[in-house]
Amino acid sequence: MTELGLHDVIDGLEVLICGLDDGGRIHVFNRSCERLTGLPRENAIGQSWLDLFASGGRSEHVVSLWAQAREDGAVGPFEALCRNNRSLRWQFSRLDPRHAPPVALWAVGIDVTHEREALVRARELQRMGALGNLVSGLTHELRNPLNGALLQLTLAQRTLARHHDVEDSLASVDQAAAEIRRVSSILDDFLVFVRPQPVHLERTSVRRIVTRAIERSAFKARAAGVTVGLEPGSEALAEVDASRVESATFHLIANAIDAAAAAPDHIVRVTISVAGNSIAIEVFDRGAGLPTDAPIFEPFFTTKQGGTGLGLSIVQRAAADHGGVVGHERRDGTTVFRLELPIVGGLTN
Amino acid sequence: MPKQAAGPSGAPPARNPCGAEQTAVCVTASLRSARALLVLQLRMLIVLVSPYPSERDALKQLLANEGYRVTAVAARQQAVELADRARADVVIADAQVVGLDGAALVGELAERNVRAQLILLCSRATRWFETRDFVCLPKPVDLALLHRHIDDLMADRVA
């Protein structure tokens, strides 16, 4: 095969192919390499292969493999992290330089980034599954005594409420009951966070879902002296997992209640809007807002005393599992959280 | 009892026992407003079964204070025998004693031809849901939700 013919074949292959001289400089750089690196061939020729394809960690290991390939003729497969953070699996094959001078070594690779990511996800799911079982068992064990304690406190509340001059005692009992509800809510959050949940899409009224989320937050709103209102509108039908969207909306409203409790108006406003194939649930409050660039969607990040930092992670996961997004912005002194979901054909995990 | 689709925690979906939506809503609303009277008239019997003394005693007292007749026991077999003997209307059972699916208790009640409605209190659920055979409420129990379900059961019986 002529040199021109060889290069045509190399260019047509989906795998990454680099021809290197004895010093490790690139002399052949096929189109797959161009696509992956975004580097035109003319710019890549003459560059160090190690700098271009193995600079992202474990580079010493790759250098030793490189040296081995020069001695032994073939090494691999091995993985290296490219400059643009792609995971590549390579094999070195030594070639007599007389055959295609100055190329003395061929580096043949494939992009395994997706494979690596899938592996990491699978391991994460496995880890979360094990953690989920642990938390599920723990939650189960804790909820029984919590339920007994809360029922006993409720009984005490109602008994005390029939008597005069017991306001202080009643307030203490109320506070204890509120704390138990908070512990229960934290347990719920942990359970939802650590246990991977499948998405069950069904055509349903998003307005009804949001109404239920508002009802669920009623106790918290009352305790904080905040009014939560849903603006009028249509039923807004969409194919969503009602339970997941309700939970996500509840967390957005619960956060807004905390913020609105310190705001002058003590109001949380919720809207539902439809545009194209998307439906958006927006939650507004006139609280102090969030610190700029705070990693609010990171698990366990919280700006609230006593918060678990899991609520917005749960919202983000619900959005992603539906093929939607969640975001926030500050508009004229108002914090707006927006949960946007596809009306039809959302992704499922 | 006509069963509704499962739904998350919050208000149970509106029932429609009469077929005509408006009429049903009115009847149900009237029944709810007259709940205390109905409790007295029907003398609804609730059998409560829970292995946890704290939960059992407090819930028994809270329901009794609402006007219900309540008998509380610790074991499933006692509950079945009591429900059969006293013709219980509602059995509220901790999922711990009947199993998560409630199937065993449903089967035992059916064998004895007891038509009691079953409400499970479940520490593993995070939201309420309803199946053909029972309603499941998560712990800690939302008393308002529990009352609403009992009211619905009463409304269904009267309708």
Side-chain angles (χ1 to χ4, degrees):
Chain A
M1 189 179 288
T2 64
E3 192 180 332
L4 186 63
L6 176 66
H7 283 171
D8 285 342
V9 171
I10 287 172
D11 263 348
L13 294 173
E14 287 296 312
V15 294
L16 308 163
I17 298 182
C18 289
L20 316 175
D21 66 19
D22 268 335
R25 284 183 299 277
I26 296 169
H27 288 271
V28 175
F29 194 76
N30 74 345
R31 290 205 191 287
S32 294
C33 288
E34 287 186 308
R35 277 195 297 273
L36 183 117
T37 59
L39 201 62
R41 179 178 299 164
E42 54 272 25
N43 292 1
I45 300 293
Q47 284 203 37
S48 158
W49 181 91
L50 281 169
D51 286 349
L52 195 57
F53 287 111
S55 58
R58 296 182 74 219
S59 53
E60 286 177 11
H61 174 63
V62 177
V63 169
S64 72
L65 291 172
W66 162 262
Q68 192 184 332
R70 292 178 64 188
E71 295 294 321
D72 300 344
V75 165
F78 63 92
E79 287 185 22
L81 199 59
C82 180
R83 209 189 271 175
N84 59 3
N85 280 331
R86 307 294 299 182
S87 290
L88 306 176
R89 185 176 296 148
W90 292 98
Q91 182 138 11
F92 287 142
S93 296
R94 183 149 182 84
L95 180 77
D96 188 333
R98 286 173 300 180
H99 291 139
V103 174
L105 200 69
W106 291 98
V108 181
I110 53 171
D111 186 355
V112 293
T113 308
H114 293 307
E115 192 182 316
R116 298 295 304 169
E117 286 172 352
L119 194 63
V120 168
R121 273 200 303 275
R123 282 184 185 150
E124 180 70 3
L125 281 175
Q126 198 174 22
R127 198 175 65 82
M128 295 300 265
L131 191 58
N133 288 340
L134 185 71
V135 172
S136 173
L138 183 66
T139 302
H140 168 64
E141 292 305 326
L142 288 175
R143 273 200 185 133
N144 288 316
L146 284 178
N147 186 47
L150 191 58
L151 288 170
Q152 292 285 354
L153 284 172
T154 307
L155 193 57
Q157 278 172 318
R158 294 186 180 181
T159 306
L160 285 170
R162 289 199 294 267
H163 295 83
H164 299 293
D165 304 326
V166 290
E167 284 80 5
D168 288 348
S169 304
L170 192 54
S172 299
V173 173
D174 286 348
Q175 204 168 347
E179 291 298 327
I180 288 179
R181 284 195 184 89
R182 201 168 74 80
V183 170
S184 176
S185 168
I186 290 170
L187 289 174
D188 284 352
D189 282 356
F190 269 96
L191 200 55
V192 170
F193 182 73
V194 299
R195 190 191 270 168
Q197 295 176 304
V199 173
H200 301 293
L201 296 180
E202 55 179 336
R203 193 164 167 77
T204 186
S205 160
V206 172
R207 174 161 292 274
R208 195 176 302 164
I209 292 171
V210 172
T211 302
R212 281 201 297 255
I214 292 173
E215 285 173 358
R216 202 169 139 189
S217 67
F219 183 84
K220 185 180 177 73
R222 263 199 312 277
V226 170
T227 305
V228 182
L230 173 61
E231 296 204 343
S234 67
E235 282 296 292
L237 296 172
E239 275 181 20
V240 294
D241 184 320
S243 172
R244 300 283 303 277
V245 175
E246 182 195 316
S247 171
T249 309
F250 166 76
H251 281 291
L252 293 180
I253 293 171
N255 284 347
I257 288 171
D258 286 335
D265 61 358
H266 286 57
I267 288 173
V268 171
R269 203 160 54 84
V270 186
T271 66
I272 303 168
S273 58
V274 177
N277 188 35
S278 290
I279 190 157
I281 300 165
E282 289 187 306
V283 181
F284 302 76
D285 72 75
R286 293 182 65 81
L290 292 155
T292 316
D293 298 331
I296 56 170
F297 294 107
E298 288 288 314
F300 308 111
F301 176 85
T302 182
T303 57
K304 294 183 290 190
Q305 196 176 7
T308 62
L310 289 176
L312 286 175
S313 300
I314 290 168
V315 177
Q316 191 180 44
R317 189 182 291 176
D321 288 350
H322 280 83
V325 290
V326 59
H328 70 102
E329 61 180 323
R330 190 82 173 158
R331 293 182 205 156
D332 302 327
T334 300
T335 302
V336 187
F337 269 87
R338 180 183 174 88
L339 174 61
E340 194 172 322
L341 305 167
I343 292 175
V344 180
L347 299 173
T348 60
N349 53 357
Chain B
M1 181 178 73
K3 293 290 179 186
Q4 305 294 313
S9 63
R15 289 164 187 275
N16 189 2
C18 305
E21 193 174 336
Q22 287 302 318
T23 309
V25 169
C26 290
V27 168
T28 307
S30 304
L31 285 169
R32 281 185 179 155
S33 65
R35 182 164 59 84
L37 182 62
L38 279 168
V39 169
L40 291 173
Q41 286 176 338
L42 296 174
R43 297 301 294 157
M44 171 176 273
L45 176 64
I46 296 173
V47 171
L48 171 64
V49 50
S50 166
Y52 306 108
S54 173
E55 171 182 275
R56 191 173 62 236
D57 296 345
L59 194 51
K60 179 186 175 186
Q61 193 59 52
L62 285 163
L63 290 170
N65 291 349
E66 293 285 327
Y68 299 107
R69 277 194 302 151
V70 187
T71 304
V73 293
R76 187 177 81 201
Q77 199 51 40
Q78 286 174 285
V80 171
E81 283 167 12
L82 188 62
D84 181 17
R85 196 168 61 244
R87 311 312 293 172
D89 300 285
V90 176
V91 175
I92 300 175
D94 191 286
Q96 182 76 12
V97 293
V98 295
L100 193 58
D101 63 1
L105 183 58
V106 169
E108 283 171 314
L109 291 173
E111 267 178 29
R112 293 170 183 245
N113 204 24
V114 177
R115 287 181 58 245
Q117 305 293 338
L118 180 57
I119 296 175
L120 290 187
L121 309 182
C122 184
S123 61
R124 290 191 188 274
T126 53
R127 61 189 180 96
W128 80 268
F129 63 90
E130 193 170 21
T131 72
R132 196 169 56 84
D133 296 319
F134 60 84
V135 173
C136 180
L137 302 183
K139 289 185 183 181
V141 175
D142 178 340
L143 282 173
L145 193 60
L146 177 62
H147 285 313
R148 257 184 279 175
H149 279 291
I150 295 172
D151 285 354
D152 280 339
L153 298 178
M154 288 167 59
D156 286 341
R157 288 221 156 185
V158 172

